[in-house]
Amino acid sequence: MPLTDITIDDIESLAVGAWVLGTGGGGSPYLGLLNMRALYKEGYRVQLMPASELADDDWVAAVSNMGAPLVGQERLTDSRTIARAVDLMERHTRYRFRGIMALEIGGGNSIQPLMAAAHLKRPVIDSDMMGRAYPEAQMTSVAVGDLMPCPLTTVDVRGLESVVEKVPTWKWMERVSRKICVEYGSIASTCKAPRTGAEVKKWGIHGTTTKAIAIGHAVREAQRRHEDPIAAILAVEPGKLLYKGKVVDVERRATEGFLRGRTRFDGMDEWRGSSMEINFQNEWIVAWLDGKPIAMSPDLICVLDSVSGEAVGTETIRYGQRVTVIALPPPPVFLSPKGLQHVGPRAFAYDIEFKSVFA
């Protein structure tokens, strides 16, 4: 079975590339990266496996942190916590997982499966269920596919453990698990509903770990050569440049297990005299240019540091930063009418008809 070794250099690139794909959310990859550096120094190793190599009756664990990204910066965790969520799911279901995959490739959640895999000695599946980061449980490809939303395990660093055995819908899973997460302090490690190999092959968004590594490698190589890192991203991904500006206002609040708010920018270079505002719910959701919506979910809105090319998260963006805003195309599953019901602007309570910047 073709397994590829993931080097520490790959993980350094993954942290950069997944932060870009996180569209402002998914949690900062930095803490996960520190965990992986420590694990590799101790001799742990992780391998990557394509979803196509799964048997139909294999079982796969899907993992992520859940909660408000700002809280994740304040309440540090370690790699054993996410491994405990997977172990709890194995004990509860009596399945032995063939591999571990990311719920979302965006941000720090891209590194969660690597941390679990290192401890549990399983491969990481080169797929996820979002192709980016989204804030809610029903905003996944498997929810669009009407797959079972349960069970779910939730753990935290203090030893708390919960199992949600049965819910009728994905939105109920979001409601119930979010309440648990808030009680935990608005950050928790989770193992989502187990998926069969057949389900992963049909509904997974494939090659996303490799994709994030490629984006991160392009950024790091451009930095090393003192070249334009944003141009390097757009050379490996079919994206579109939307705006350059300076952060002039940030409004955010942690509420109901989410980080919500808006950021306003004043234009620079060819955008001088124009203002942009981006609303967020953990992730960047809708971008407004001079009061008109120009980019929105499911298109990926990526706010990048104009010098380094690295992503800026909704929890870390601050007054005075010089940023470049780009859009990247979404996975096709979210462009279907049903996909838009799950992740289009109306799913976030914006009364806007979806229009892609790539239309």
Side-chain angles (χ1 to χ4, degrees), residues 243-249 264-268 319-323:
Y243 189 78
K244 290 185 179 181
K246 180 179 77 170
V247 179
V248 293
D249 188 38
R264 192 164 57 83
F265 312 87
D266 277 354
M268 301 177 67
Y319 175 82
Q321 282 180 307
R322 267 66 171 175
V323 301

Side-chain angles (χ1 to χ4, degrees), residues 23-42:
T23 63
S28 169
Y30 182 64
L31 298 174
L33 176 59
L34 293 182
N35 273 272
M36 292 308 300
R37 285 175 182 170
L39 287 170
Y40 268 54
K41 191 173 182 180
E42 294 169 16

Side-chain angles (χ1 to χ4, degrees), residues 194-218:
R195 303 268 71 105
T196 66
E199 289 173 335
V200 171
K201 286 184 283 188
K202 182 175 182 179
W203 289 104
I205 299 166
H206 303 306
T208 48
T209 301
T210 301
K211 176 180 182 176
I213 291 171
I215 293 172
H217 177 77

Side-chain angles (χ1 to χ4, degrees), residues 27-187:
S28 169
Y30 182 64
L31 298 174
L33 176 59
L34 293 182
N35 273 272
M36 292 308 300
R37 285 175 182 170
L39 287 170
Y40 268 54
K41 191 173 182 180
E42 294 169 16
Y44 291 88
R45 293 296 182 269
V46 180
Q47 293 182 306
L48 193 64
M49 174 181 171
S52 59
E53 294 301 319
L54 288 166
D56 285 354
D57 58 354
D58 281 337
W59 286 102
V60 177
V63 300
S64 74
N65 259 6
M66 182 179 192
L70 187 63
V71 180
Q73 293 295 294
E74 298 169 348
R75 290 187 55 195
L76 310 186
T77 187
D78 64 54
S79 55
R80 291 167 292 188
T81 310
I82 193 67
R84 277 180 46 231
V86 177
D87 177 67
L88 177 59
M89 184 64 80
E90 285 196 322
R91 286 186 279 121
H92 178 70
T93 60
R94 299 185 181 178
Y95 300 148
R96 177 173 171 80
F97 292 120
R98 178 65 186 90
I100 302 169
M101 67 185 287
L103 176 77
E104 59 185 12
I105 195 58
N109 275 329
S110 66
I111 301 181
Q112 295 291 321
L114 277 69
M115 294 193 290
H119 286 287
L120 300 173
K121 297 180 172 56
R122 317 290 169 84
V124 171
I125 308 303
D126 190 8
S127 303
D128 78 310
M129 300 175 183
M130 294 184 182
R132 48 166 294 163
Y134 274 121
E136 298 186 30
Q138 73 277 10
M139 297 174 175
T140 62
S141 58
V142 293
V144 175
D146 286 327
L147 303 189
M148 282 289 290
C150 50
L152 169 129
T153 61
T154 307
V155 307
D156 87 341
V157 293
R158 294 166 297 184
L160 293 168
E161 295 186 351
S162 303
V163 178
V164 179
E165 172 60 24
K166 188 174 182 180
V167 290
T169 66
W170 281 98
K171 286 197 173 183
W172 266 109
M173 175 57 81
E174 169 60 31
R175 288 177 62 180
V176 173
S177 59
R178 189 67 55 177
K179 291 292 186 184
I180 295 170
C181 180
V182 170
E183 289 301 314
Y184 280 16
S186 289
I187 198 77

